[in-house]
Amino acid sequence: MALFSNRPVGCSFASLPTSFYTRVAPRRLTEPRLLHANPAAAALIGLGTQDLSSPDFLDLCSGQGRLNGIEPLATVYSGHQFGVWAGQLGDGRAHLLGDVGGPEGTWEVQLKGSGRTPYSRMGDGWAVLRSSVREYLASEAMAGLGIPTTRALALVASRDPVMRETPETAAVVTRLSPSFVRFGHFEHWGHSAAEQAALLNYVVTHWFPECRVGTVTEPDLPATACRLLTEVTRRTARLIAQWQLVGFCHGVMNTDNMSILGLTLDYGPYGFMDAFQADHVCNHTDTQGRYAWNAQPAVARWNLYRLAGSLLVLGCTASDLESCLAPFETEFLRAYHAGLARKFGLSDWHPEDAQLGDDWWALLHAQRADFTLAFRRLADVESDPAPWLDLFADPGAAQAWLTRYQSRLVLSGPPATGRRAAMNAANPLYVLRNHLAQQAIQAAQQGDPSEIDRLFDLLRDPYTERPGHESYARGPAADIPAVAVSCSS
Ligand code: AMP
Ligand code: MG
């Protein structure tokens, strides 16, 4: 393909035994239309803006083109869904086109919503425009926030009808990631020593070479697995701390949606909180609240236990594996406290600050204050506390917290001018609130992608205030019904 004539193109996943995947062609879309393309993601694989309007690009992102002739494949993985072993799950509607060596690393190119595969189970292989817009915008919003994530390269819409609760239309998101390997890939091979060893070697060779114990030809598998698990534990803990600090709820933290690289993966019924509620559940399908905001750290740890269990087959001992999971709590707290200190404008975190932090969440929770604005407006309380106090129904309680906070700032904060800029660089003004995503979806369903453009531009740099975009910083109006998101996608 001319698009990548100067780039190294391959498919490293296909170096694994054929039991790991099936070669299968994506489905042809009817009248595919490029609704949006992402120049920043394109640059990662060496594409320029001019390439994004080429017919080859549309062909690639609608499943008709091939990366230098490589036959696409679907990988096999399993996992635990809502705490229960679910067996084989996917890829039910994703096709890996291959990988491209970009200026700063190699990226796998994957289509999502591109048709049935041998792992589709009862699914139709489609993804609807609604969920595809949500995935497309959310992954770039996370990148804009500086949170590890898969990236979105292109959004292609079509007229193909798809039946969900109501009739919708099909769309395909092209995603980029160094790897799409999930905890679920390891769980799938948890009873097959040879395949698990192959997967471990593959993952360590490409993404965790520092974890290898022994040589490539004679690796010490249990020791290598332990090192990998320790590193995945650390990355996952840091990732979840970052989610917590922007009020992001993933919504379906099943083990098959957990990236081995510690990236945010698979955007479905996620939610950025408006009014803060510690036990907020963003996914209406999650009736038990398993994936509530305040449950995410514990769930991540539970998921890491499932990953650990799948490594027993390599000869690791349970106690060794358990000690690899031990850093989770310290790593999570370290990242969470450092992040909260930045958001509060503190130059460092003291153990006594934990109480101030706990009381912050209790205050926001009791008054259902807006998560994003409560942090953002804190930067301005020294000059004028009124806009911040306005976020609280009971300003007396807010003022009491504020007084303690201000005396803490006096203790060790940097000068006030530098602090304001630093806080604004740590507290986004714009997040992908559900009602904003919904506006973009409804316009796109009517054939108008301009709201996707606007959100995309805003969320790429969510820390910089943009005049004329005041409404994008606010929560939903009280008189519009809350957007209900579910696993339907
Ligand atoms: P999710 O809960 O969205 O992560 O999906 C769980 C698994 O079901 C994934 O492996 C998907 O590939 C698969 N899946 C979800 N929706 C469909 C669909 N419409 N058709 C085929 N497979 C699907
Ligand atoms: Mg998934």
Side-chain angles (χ1 to χ4, degrees):
M1 171 166 294
L3 281 176
F4 299 105
S5 50
N6 298 322
R7 292 274 153 210
V9 169
C11 186
S12 76
F13 198 92
S15 67
L16 284 161
T18 52
S19 49
F20 281 78
Y21 61 86
T22 303
R23 301 269 185 195
V24 53
R27 180 162 39 195
R28 210 165 252 278
L29 293 174
T30 310
E31 294 177 30
R33 248 175 343 119
L34 185 64
L35 225 51
H36 207 276
N38 179 1
L44 298 173
I45 50 172
L47 296 182
T49 331
Q50 72 288 351
D51 295 316
L52 306 183
S53 48
S54 75
D56 281 353
F57 186 74
L58 177 60
D59 275 357
L60 189 76
C61 298
S62 59
Q64 293 180 38
R66 298 286 176 264
L67 265 181
N68 291 12
I70 293 167
E71 278 311 306
L73 58 85
T75 74
V76 64
Y77 59 80
S78 295
H80 284 79
Q81 294 187 313
F82 292 92
V84 178
W85 174 246
Q88 178 226 294
L89 290 170
D91 290 314
R93 51 173 174 174
H95 292 78
L96 180 64
L97 300 183
D99 43 58
V100 179
E104 284 165 38
T106 297
W107 296 83
E108 288 190 343
V109 183
Q110 191 198 58
L111 306 180
K112 178 171 175 179
S114 39
R116 299 193 83 243
T117 76
Y119 318 114
S120 296
R121 300 171 294 150
M122 306 294 282
D124 57 16
W126 295 118
V128 295
L129 179 60
R130 166 177 52 84
S131 66
S132 304
V133 170
R134 284 174 56 84
E135 165 123 25
Y136 189 79
L137 287 175
S139 38
E140 290 313 294
M142 289 299 249
L145 288 164
I147 298 177
T149 179
T150 62
R151 302 296 300 269
L153 176 67
L155 173 63
V156 171
S158 86
R159 294 194 300 109
D160 293 300
V162 181
M163 196 54 204
R164 294 294 182 255
E165 282 81 1
T166 56
E168 301 190 49
T169 53
V172 171
V173 173
T174 306
R175 310 194 285 192
L176 302 181
S177 179
S179 169
F180 288 95
V181 169
R182 303 147 187 271
F183 290 11
H185 282 99
F186 283 90
E187 287 178 279
H188 186 79
W189 300 110
H191 297 283
S192 319
E195 281 88 352
Q196 196 68 307
L199 181 59
L200 178 74
N201 269 325
Y202 168 70
V203 166
V204 164
T205 298
H206 288 274
W207 299 286
F208 299 89
E210 70 285 1
C211 292
R212 188 184 312 280
V213 183
T215 62
V216 176
T217 45
E218 278 187 61
D220 179 337
L221 291 173
T224 302
C226 278
R227 278 206 191 171
L228 175 70
L229 182 61
T230 307
E231 179 56 21
V232 177
T233 298
R234 290 208 179 100
R235 290 190 190 195
T236 305
R238 291 197 291 265
L239 176 71
I240 308 299
Q242 288 184 277
W243 288 1
Q244 300 305 91
L245 291 170
V246 295
F248 176 79
C249 304
H250 183 284
V252 227
M253 286 177 70
N254 294 334
T255 54
D256 57 302
N257 292 333
M258 301 290 293
S259 150
I260 203 74
L261 300 185
L263 309 173
T264 314
L265 171 65
D266 277 9
Y267 294 88
Y270 64 84
F272 285 89
M273 253 188 273
D274 296 308
F276 177 67
Q277 188 181 333
D279 52 355
H280 174 70
V281 180
C282 60
N283 174 1
H284 278 235
T285 315
D286 181 10
T287 49
Q288 308 284 310
R290 179 178 175 84
Y291 299 137
W293 177 83
N294 58 2
Q296 295 188 125
V299 166
R301 202 162 181 280
W302 190 90
N303 289 345
L304 285 158
Y305 265 86
R306 306 287 77 75
L307 174 63
S310 77
L311 301 174
L312 286 165
V313 72
L314 295 172
C316 310
T317 68
S319 71
D320 282 351
L321 290 168
E322 200 149 14
S323 50
C324 302
L325 300 170
F328 184 90
E329 193 176 341
T330 27
E331 197 72 19
F332 173 82
L333 287 176
R334 207 188 45 73
Y336 166 74
H337 288 151
L340 201 52
R342 271 198 307 279
K343 289 174 84 72
F344 280 169
L346 305 175
S347 51
D348 49 7
W349 182 264
H350 299 167
E352 314 83 78
D353 296 330
Q355 193 59 53
L356 192 70
D358 288 352
D359 293 345
W360 164 261
W361 296 121
L363 173 71
L364 264 60
H365 176 85
Q367 307 212 28
R368 299 293 193 267
D370 187 87
F371 187 108
T372 305
L373 293 179
F375 276 110
R376 178 76 181 193
R377 293 189 187 169
L378 205 51
D380 293 316
V381 290
E382 281 172 286
S383 53
D384 178 11
W388 182 79
L389 287 168
D390 282 348
L391 298 169
F392 299 90
D394 171 10
Q399 182 59 60
W401 185 88
L402 190 59
T403 305
R404 284 170 53 209
Y405 168 67
Q406 288 179 314
S407 44
R408 170 64 178 88
L409 285 184
V410 172
L411 265 186
S412 77
T417 46
R419 179 157 58 226
R420 182 175 185 277
M423 287 175 75
N424 282 343
N427 293 307
L429 180 56
Y430 310 106
V431 292
L432 184 57
R433 297 171 187 268
N434 269 339
H435 74 283
L436 297 176
Q438 194 60 24
Q439 282 170 22
I441 291 163
Q442 281 166 354
Q445 286 170 334
Q446 305 304 315
D448 170 13
S450 63
E451 201 54 31
I452 298 177
D453 285 349
R454 193 165 303 118
L455 281 178
F456 190 87
D457 283 342
L458 210 56
L459 297 168
R460 251 185 347 179
D461 175 14
Y463 299 101
T464 304
E465 186 166 0
R466 242 70 65 84
H469 288 80
E470 290 72 17
S471 66
Y472 289 84
R474 287 196 287 267
D479 57 348
I480 64 164
V483 180
V485 289
S486 69
C487 281
S488 154
S489 62

